[in-house]
Amino acid sequence: MKEQKIFMMIPDITPEEMIFLRSALQTIKEENAEEFLFLYKGKRKGTQEVMLMTLIGFLGIAGIQRFMLKQIGMGILFLLTFGFCYIGTIVDLINHKKLTADYNEQMALETLQLMQIYRS
């Protein structure tokens, strides 16, 4: 039942994200699963969004993808060094799926913690 809810709420989910969310949903009650998915969906980023922001880095605004992923320090560093002379931007373009997966996992854990605090 929970897997169907996940697919309905997040149609562009990756298999790794699905596995992580399935294990995360084991820790909460069935009636809270829909609330969790709604909150999580608002926080998560898609791989295409991150890739697009990384490509914008080649136009002169390097690091915007890092700001979007709440990595402010790296975003400032990328901005001031033109994406480490575009080498860092190229690396981020190659690793955009991993960056997105790490961010989404962090947002899922954050959402679980907020729900636990709210329910206490």
Side-chain angles (χ1 to χ4, degrees):
M1 180 67 178
K2 289 183 181 182
E3 288 182 19
Q4 292 173 338
K5 285 183 182 180
I6 294 172
F7 281 124
M8 287 175 47
M9 295 286 289
I10 309 168
D12 62 335
I13 192 167
T14 62
E16 295 84 14
E17 188 177 6
M18 179 65 167
I19 291 168
F20 181 77
L21 285 180
R22 192 177 331 145
S23 66
L25 286 173
Q26 298 295 329
T27 64
I28 62 175
K29 297 178 183 175
E30 180 75 31
E31 59 268 9
N32 296 334
E34 194 169 326
E35 181 183 358
F36 167 78
L37 290 171
F38 179 76
L39 292 172
Y40 172 69
K41 183 181 177 185
K43 291 181 177 186
R44 75 181 291 275
K45 303 289 183 206
T47 55
Q48 294 162 340
E49 295 174 68
V50 175
M51 184 175 66
L52 181 63
M53 293 300 134
T54 306
L55 289 172
I56 289 174
F58 288 113
L59 300 175
I61 311 172
I64 196 166
Q65 75 278 8
R66 294 295 184 143
F67 286 111
M68 189 174 94
L69 298 174
K70 295 185 180 181
Q71 298 176 356
I72 307 301
M74 285 297 288
I76 291 171
L77 192 59
F78 268 57
L79 190 62
L80 295 176
T81 61
F82 299 104
F84 294 18
C85 297
Y86 297 108
I87 294 171
T89 305
I90 293 169
V91 170
D92 277 1
L93 188 61
I94 294 168
N95 294 326
H96 74 279
K97 289 182 181 180
K98 171 104 172 80
L99 289 169
T100 307
D102 291 344
Y103 174 81
N104 287 340
E105 186 174 316
Q106 180 184 359
M107 290 300 104
L109 292 174
E110 183 180 299
T111 303
L112 281 173
Q113 288 175 349
L114 286 173
M115 287 186 68
Q116 288 173 353
I117 290 170
Y118 177 72
R119 298 286 176 211
S120 298

